[in-house]
Amino acid sequence: MRYRRSDVVSRAIEALDDYGLADLTMRRLGTELGVQPSALYHHFANKQTLLAAVADEILARAPWPTRQPGEADWVDVVGDICVGLRDTLLTWRDGAELVATVWSFGLGAAAPYERLVAALTAGGLEPLAPVAARTLLHYVYGHAVDEQTRLQAAAAGAIDDDPRDESDFAAGLGMVIAGIQVVRAAR
């Protein structure tokens, strides 16, 4: 059976969720699809381009905010983007690590950055928008990786940790946004 690129990406997302990023290999994916790993290279030049496609698909499935820049205060739109991104990353096993790595390497996963820059620019933060967007992404990715790592380690019995009553994500995000507001006001 011939698979389309989208079929390979969909199965790779399932394999990511089943086995984790470290065990998402071309060999495993080929086995999952019932093909030789070499058949996957028809769609992807290497594992990195496959992972970039997986990260982009995860982000395409994100519940992005319906409020758009210009329709609401930039603080609300930026907050909605960051919360939606975090929730999406936590939906998939190792989703935070995968998306953060792909974005960091410049291989894809640019949608959150582009959305943040648009919201910040609409809020009058040009020329600060690119740096502010990267700062927000560093916070979201770092926090999500921390949360995922702790949850997975606790579930595997690697650490003795009770689930946290509440995430401090919103409080930290508020601090980052407040810092951006201070810098904006100072300019």
Side-chain angles (χ1 to χ4, degrees), residues 73-149:
D73 183 53
W74 71 268
V75 171
D76 295 329
V77 176
V78 164
D80 290 349
I81 292 168
C82 291
V83 168
L85 175 58
R86 173 189 169 266
D87 292 349
T88 297
L89 298 175
L90 295 178
T91 299
W92 305 97
R93 181 177 178 180
D94 295 334
E97 182 183 354
L98 170 66
V99 172
T101 301
V102 166
W103 181 71
S104 179
F105 288 177
L107 299 173
Y113 174 77
E114 292 165 358
R115 288 175 180 275
L116 287 168
V117 168
L120 292 160
T121 300
L125 277 93
E126 190 60 42
L128 301 171
V131 172
R134 284 191 299 275
T135 301
L136 288 159
L137 287 178
H138 290 304
Y139 174 72
V140 174
Y141 291 151
H143 199 284
V145 166
D146 177 67
E147 283 186 279
Q148 259 183 347
T149 302

Side-chain angles (χ1 to χ4, degrees), residues 151-160:
L151 287 170
Q152 292 172 6
I159 60 173
D160 186 25

